[in-house]
Short mmCIF file of all heavy atoms in Angstrom, two decimals:
data_model
loop_
_atom_site.label_atom_id
_atom_site.label_comp_id
_atom_site.label_asym_id
_atom_site.label_seq_id
_atom_site.Cartn_x
_atom_site.Cartn_y
_atom_site.Cartn_z
N PHE A 120 0.83 -1.20 0.00
CA PHE A 120 0.00 0.00 0.00
C PHE A 120 0.87 1.25 0.00
O PHE A 120 2.00 1.23 0.50
CB PHE A 120 -0.90 0.04 1.24
CG PHE A 120 -1.99 -0.99 1.27
CD1 PHE A 120 -2.04 -2.03 0.36
CD2 PHE A 120 -2.98 -0.91 2.24
CE1 PHE A 120 -3.04 -2.99 0.41
CE2 PHE A 120 -3.99 -1.85 2.30
CZ PHE A 120 -4.02 -2.89 1.38
N ALA A 121 0.34 2.33 -0.52
CA ALA A 121 1.04 3.60 -0.52
C ALA A 121 0.06 4.73 -0.24
O ALA A 121 -0.96 4.86 -0.91
CB ALA A 121 1.74 3.83 -1.85
N ILE A 122 0.38 5.53 0.77
CA ILE A 122 -0.45 6.68 1.11
C ILE A 122 0.17 7.92 0.47
O ILE A 122 1.39 8.08 0.43
CB ILE A 122 -0.58 6.83 2.64
CG1 ILE A 122 -1.61 7.91 2.99
CG2 ILE A 122 0.77 7.13 3.28
CD1 ILE A 122 -1.96 7.95 4.47
N SER A 123 -0.67 8.79 -0.02
CA SER A 123 -0.20 10.02 -0.64
C SER A 123 -1.27 11.09 -0.52
O SER A 123 -2.41 10.81 -0.14
CB SER A 123 0.17 9.79 -2.11
OG SER A 123 -0.96 9.38 -2.86
N ARG A 124 -0.90 12.30 -0.84
CA ARG A 124 -1.85 13.39 -0.80
C ARG A 124 -1.64 14.33 -1.97
O ARG A 124 -0.53 14.45 -2.50
CB ARG A 124 -1.72 14.17 0.52
CG ARG A 124 -0.39 14.87 0.68
CD ARG A 124 -0.27 15.57 2.01
NE ARG A 124 0.99 16.31 2.12
CZ ARG A 124 1.39 16.95 3.20
NH1 ARG A 124 0.62 16.96 4.29
NH2 ARG A 124 2.55 17.59 3.21
N ASP A 125 -2.69 14.99 -2.35
CA ASP A 125 -2.65 16.01 -3.39
C ASP A 125 -3.16 17.28 -2.73
O ASP A 125 -4.37 17.45 -2.56
CB ASP A 125 -3.50 15.61 -4.59
CG ASP A 125 -3.36 16.58 -5.75
OD1 ASP A 125 -3.10 17.77 -5.51
OD2 ASP A 125 -3.50 16.13 -6.90
N SER A 126 -2.25 18.16 -2.37
CA SER A 126 -2.62 19.37 -1.65
C SER A 126 -3.51 20.29 -2.48
O SER A 126 -4.40 20.95 -1.96
CB SER A 126 -1.37 20.12 -1.20
OG SER A 126 -0.61 19.34 -0.29
N ALA A 127 -3.25 20.33 -3.78
CA ALA A 127 -4.04 21.19 -4.66
C ALA A 127 -5.50 20.76 -4.69
O ALA A 127 -6.40 21.60 -4.77
CB ALA A 127 -3.47 21.17 -6.07
N LYS A 128 -5.74 19.46 -4.61
CA LYS A 128 -7.10 18.92 -4.61
C LYS A 128 -7.63 18.67 -3.21
O LYS A 128 -8.79 18.29 -3.06
CB LYS A 128 -7.16 17.63 -5.42
CG LYS A 128 -6.82 17.79 -6.88
CD LYS A 128 -6.94 16.46 -7.61
CE LYS A 128 -6.65 16.61 -9.09
NZ LYS A 128 -6.76 15.32 -9.81
N ASN A 129 -6.77 18.87 -2.21
CA ASN A 129 -7.15 18.62 -0.82
C ASN A 129 -7.69 17.20 -0.65
O ASN A 129 -8.71 16.98 0.00
CB ASN A 129 -8.19 19.64 -0.35
CG ASN A 129 -8.11 19.92 1.14
OD1 ASN A 129 -7.03 19.84 1.74
ND2 ASN A 129 -9.24 20.26 1.74
N THR A 130 -6.96 16.25 -1.24
CA THR A 130 -7.41 14.86 -1.27
C THR A 130 -6.31 13.92 -0.81
O THR A 130 -5.15 14.08 -1.19
CB THR A 130 -7.87 14.47 -2.68
OG1 THR A 130 -8.94 15.33 -3.08
CG2 THR A 130 -8.35 13.03 -2.72
N LEU A 131 -6.68 12.94 -0.01
CA LEU A 131 -5.80 11.89 0.45
C LEU A 131 -6.08 10.62 -0.34
O LEU A 131 -7.23 10.33 -0.66
CB LEU A 131 -6.03 11.63 1.94
CG LEU A 131 -5.21 10.53 2.61
CD1 LEU A 131 -3.78 11.01 2.82
CD2 LEU A 131 -5.86 10.13 3.93
N TYR A 132 -5.03 9.85 -0.64
CA TYR A 132 -5.18 8.63 -1.40
C TYR A 132 -4.56 7.44 -0.67
O TYR A 132 -3.62 7.59 0.11
CB TYR A 132 -4.51 8.74 -2.77
CG TYR A 132 -5.05 9.85 -3.63
CD1 TYR A 132 -4.39 11.07 -3.72
CD2 TYR A 132 -6.22 9.68 -4.36
CE1 TYR A 132 -4.88 12.09 -4.51
CE2 TYR A 132 -6.72 10.71 -5.15
CZ TYR A 132 -6.05 11.91 -5.22
OH TYR A 132 -6.54 12.92 -6.01
N LEU A 133 -5.08 6.27 -0.96
CA LEU A 133 -4.46 5.03 -0.53
C LEU A 133 -4.43 4.10 -1.74
O LEU A 133 -5.47 3.57 -2.14
CB LEU A 133 -5.23 4.38 0.62
CG LEU A 133 -4.59 3.10 1.18
CD1 LEU A 133 -3.27 3.43 1.87
CD2 LEU A 133 -5.53 2.40 2.15
N GLN A 134 -3.25 3.93 -2.31
CA GLN A 134 -3.07 3.00 -3.41
C GLN A 134 -2.82 1.62 -2.83
O GLN A 134 -1.87 1.43 -2.09
CB GLN A 134 -1.90 3.43 -4.29
CG GLN A 134 -1.61 2.50 -5.45
CD GLN A 134 -2.74 2.46 -6.46
OE1 GLN A 134 -3.24 3.51 -6.87
NE2 GLN A 134 -3.16 1.26 -6.85
N MET A 135 -3.67 0.67 -3.18
CA MET A 135 -3.58 -0.68 -2.65
C MET A 135 -3.25 -1.64 -3.79
O MET A 135 -4.03 -1.78 -4.73
CB MET A 135 -4.88 -1.08 -1.96
CG MET A 135 -5.30 -0.14 -0.84
SD MET A 135 -6.78 -0.69 0.03
CE MET A 135 -8.00 -0.48 -1.27
N ASN A 136 -2.10 -2.27 -3.69
CA ASN A 136 -1.66 -3.24 -4.69
C ASN A 136 -1.52 -4.61 -4.05
O ASN A 136 -1.44 -4.75 -2.84
CB ASN A 136 -0.32 -2.81 -5.29
CG ASN A 136 -0.39 -1.48 -6.00
OD1 ASN A 136 -1.37 -1.16 -6.66
ND2 ASN A 136 0.69 -0.69 -5.87
N SER A 137 -1.46 -5.63 -4.90
CA SER A 137 -1.31 -7.01 -4.44
C SER A 137 -2.30 -7.33 -3.32
O SER A 137 -1.94 -7.88 -2.28
CB SER A 137 0.12 -7.25 -3.97
OG SER A 137 1.05 -7.00 -5.00
N LEU A 138 -3.53 -6.99 -3.55
CA LEU A 138 -4.55 -7.17 -2.52
C LEU A 138 -4.76 -8.63 -2.17
O LEU A 138 -4.71 -9.51 -3.03
CB LEU A 138 -5.86 -6.55 -2.97
CG LEU A 138 -5.91 -5.02 -2.86
CD1 LEU A 138 -7.04 -4.45 -3.70
CD2 LEU A 138 -6.07 -4.61 -1.40
N LYS A 139 -5.00 -8.85 -0.88
CA LYS A 139 -5.25 -10.18 -0.35
C LYS A 139 -6.66 -10.26 0.20
O LYS A 139 -7.27 -9.24 0.52
CB LYS A 139 -4.25 -10.50 0.77
CG LYS A 139 -2.79 -10.37 0.38
CD LYS A 139 -1.90 -10.57 1.60
CE LYS A 139 -0.43 -10.43 1.25
NZ LYS A 139 0.43 -10.59 2.45
N PHE A 140 -7.15 -11.47 0.36
CA PHE A 140 -8.47 -11.66 0.95
C PHE A 140 -8.53 -11.02 2.34
O PHE A 140 -9.57 -10.47 2.72
CB PHE A 140 -8.80 -13.15 1.05
CG PHE A 140 -10.09 -13.44 1.75
CD1 PHE A 140 -11.30 -13.24 1.10
CD2 PHE A 140 -10.09 -13.90 3.05
CE1 PHE A 140 -12.50 -13.50 1.74
CE2 PHE A 140 -11.28 -14.17 3.70
CZ PHE A 140 -12.49 -13.97 3.04
N GLU A 141 -7.44 -11.08 3.07
CA GLU A 141 -7.37 -10.53 4.42
C GLU A 141 -7.50 -9.01 4.46
O GLU A 141 -7.68 -8.44 5.54
CB GLU A 141 -6.06 -10.94 5.10
CG GLU A 141 -5.82 -12.44 5.13
CD GLU A 141 -5.05 -12.90 3.91
OE1 GLU A 141 -3.81 -12.84 3.94
OE2 GLU A 141 -5.71 -13.32 2.94
N ASP A 142 -7.37 -8.36 3.32
CA ASP A 142 -7.53 -6.91 3.26
C ASP A 142 -8.99 -6.48 3.24
O ASP A 142 -9.29 -5.28 3.31
CB ASP A 142 -6.82 -6.34 2.03
CG ASP A 142 -5.32 -6.53 2.09
OD1 ASP A 142 -4.73 -6.33 3.16
OD2 ASP A 142 -4.74 -6.87 1.04
N THR A 143 -9.89 -7.42 3.11
CA THR A 143 -11.31 -7.11 3.07
C THR A 143 -11.75 -6.43 4.37
O THR A 143 -11.55 -6.95 5.45
CB THR A 143 -12.14 -8.38 2.86
OG1 THR A 143 -11.82 -8.95 1.58
CG2 THR A 143 -13.63 -8.08 2.91
N ALA A 144 -12.33 -5.25 4.23
CA ALA A 144 -12.75 -4.47 5.39
C ALA A 144 -13.42 -3.18 4.92
O ALA A 144 -13.38 -2.85 3.73
CB ALA A 144 -11.54 -4.12 6.27
N VAL A 145 -14.00 -2.48 5.86
CA VAL A 145 -14.43 -1.12 5.61
C VAL A 145 -13.25 -0.21 5.91
O VAL A 145 -12.67 -0.29 6.99
CB VAL A 145 -15.65 -0.72 6.47
CG1 VAL A 145 -16.01 0.74 6.24
CG2 VAL A 145 -16.84 -1.61 6.15
N TYR A 146 -12.90 0.63 4.97
CA TYR A 146 -11.76 1.52 5.13
C TYR A 146 -12.23 2.92 5.46
O TYR A 146 -13.14 3.46 4.81
CB TYR A 146 -10.91 1.53 3.86
CG TYR A 146 -10.05 0.30 3.72
CD1 TYR A 146 -10.64 -0.94 3.42
CD2 TYR A 146 -8.67 0.35 3.89
CE1 TYR A 146 -9.87 -2.08 3.32
CE2 TYR A 146 -7.90 -0.78 3.78
CZ TYR A 146 -8.50 -2.00 3.50
OH TYR A 146 -7.72 -3.13 3.39
N TYR A 147 -11.59 3.52 6.45
CA TYR A 147 -11.96 4.84 6.93
C TYR A 147 -10.81 5.82 6.80
O TYR A 147 -9.65 5.49 7.08
CB TYR A 147 -12.37 4.79 8.41
CG TYR A 147 -13.58 3.95 8.70
CD1 TYR A 147 -13.45 2.59 8.99
CD2 TYR A 147 -14.86 4.51 8.69
CE1 TYR A 147 -14.56 1.81 9.26
CE2 TYR A 147 -15.97 3.73 8.97
CZ TYR A 147 -15.81 2.39 9.26
OH TYR A 147 -16.92 1.62 9.53
N CYS A 148 -11.13 7.02 6.43
CA CYS A 148 -10.20 8.13 6.42
C CYS A 148 -10.35 8.90 7.73
O CYS A 148 -11.47 9.09 8.21
CB CYS A 148 -10.50 9.04 5.22
SG CYS A 148 -9.51 10.54 5.12
N ALA A 149 -9.23 9.33 8.31
CA ALA A 149 -9.27 10.05 9.57
C ALA A 149 -8.28 11.21 9.55
O ALA A 149 -7.33 11.23 8.77
CB ALA A 149 -8.93 9.11 10.73
N SER A 150 -8.51 12.18 10.44
CA SER A 150 -7.69 13.38 10.47
C SER A 150 -7.55 13.92 11.88
O SER A 150 -8.43 13.75 12.72
CB SER A 150 -8.31 14.45 9.56
OG SER A 150 -7.58 15.66 9.61
N ARG A 151 -6.42 14.58 12.13
CA ARG A 151 -6.20 15.29 13.38
C ARG A 151 -5.19 16.40 13.12
O ARG A 151 -4.44 16.37 12.15
CB ARG A 151 -5.68 14.36 14.48
CG ARG A 151 -4.25 13.92 14.28
CD ARG A 151 -3.66 13.31 15.54
NE ARG A 151 -2.25 12.99 15.40
CZ ARG A 151 -1.48 12.55 16.39
NH1 ARG A 151 -2.00 12.36 17.60
NH2 ARG A 151 -0.20 12.30 16.18
N ALA A 152 -5.15 17.39 14.02
CA ALA A 152 -4.15 18.43 13.92
C ALA A 152 -2.77 17.80 13.96
O ALA A 152 -2.52 16.90 14.76
CB ALA A 152 -4.31 19.44 15.04
N THR A 153 -1.89 18.25 13.10
CA THR A 153 -0.58 17.61 12.96
C THR A 153 0.23 17.62 14.26
O THR A 153 0.21 18.60 15.01
CB THR A 153 0.22 18.27 11.82
OG1 THR A 153 1.41 17.51 11.58
CG2 THR A 153 0.61 19.70 12.17
N ARG A 154 0.91 16.52 14.51
CA ARG A 154 1.78 16.36 15.67
C ARG A 154 3.16 15.95 15.18
O ARG A 154 3.42 15.88 13.98
CB ARG A 154 1.21 15.31 16.63
CG ARG A 154 -0.22 15.60 17.09
CD ARG A 154 -0.29 16.80 18.01
NE ARG A 154 -1.65 17.10 18.40
CZ ARG A 154 -2.28 16.55 19.43
NH1 ARG A 154 -1.66 15.66 20.20
NH2 ARG A 154 -3.53 16.89 19.71
N LEU A 155 4.04 15.66 16.12
CA LEU A 155 5.40 15.29 15.77
C LEU A 155 5.44 14.02 14.92
O LEU A 155 6.17 13.92 13.94
CB LEU A 155 6.24 15.11 17.03
CG LEU A 155 7.72 14.80 16.84
CD1 LEU A 155 8.40 15.96 16.11
CD2 LEU A 155 8.38 14.56 18.18
N VAL A 156 4.63 13.03 15.32
CA VAL A 156 4.54 11.76 14.60
C VAL A 156 3.07 11.36 14.54
O VAL A 156 2.39 11.39 15.56
CB VAL A 156 5.34 10.65 15.28
CG1 VAL A 156 5.18 9.33 14.52
CG2 VAL A 156 6.80 11.03 15.38
N PRO A 157 2.56 10.98 13.37
CA PRO A 157 1.17 10.54 13.30
C PRO A 157 0.90 9.35 14.20
O PRO A 157 1.74 8.46 14.35
CB PRO A 157 0.98 10.16 11.82
CG PRO A 157 2.00 10.98 11.10
CD PRO A 157 3.18 11.03 12.03
N SER A 158 -0.28 9.31 14.79
CA SER A 158 -0.64 8.25 15.71
C SER A 158 -1.24 7.06 14.97
O SER A 158 -1.85 7.21 13.91
CB SER A 158 -1.64 8.76 16.74
OG SER A 158 -2.05 7.73 17.61
#
């Protein structure tokens, strides 16, 4: 997987490759005020 962002579009992405059956789930996007290291 690869996470990325497009600031111009204000959009976050998650590129998922080589998907497995175990990846099946509901995926959620989340946000918080920036800190030293993301939680």
Side-chain angles (χ1 to χ4, degrees):
F120 291 10
I122 189 170
S123 62
R124 65 183 183 184
D125 187 330
S126 297
K128 297 181 178 180
N129 209 30
T130 300
L131 179 75
Y132 301 99
L133 183 67
Q134 178 65 48
M135 303 184 292
N136 299 321
S137 301
L138 283 163
K139 305 174 181 179
F140 175 77
E141 305 90 86
D142 295 318
T143 296
V145 176
Y146 283 71
Y147 297 89
C148 175
S150 177
R151 72 165 185 174
T153 188
R154 305 291 178 87
L155 184 62
V156 179
S158 178

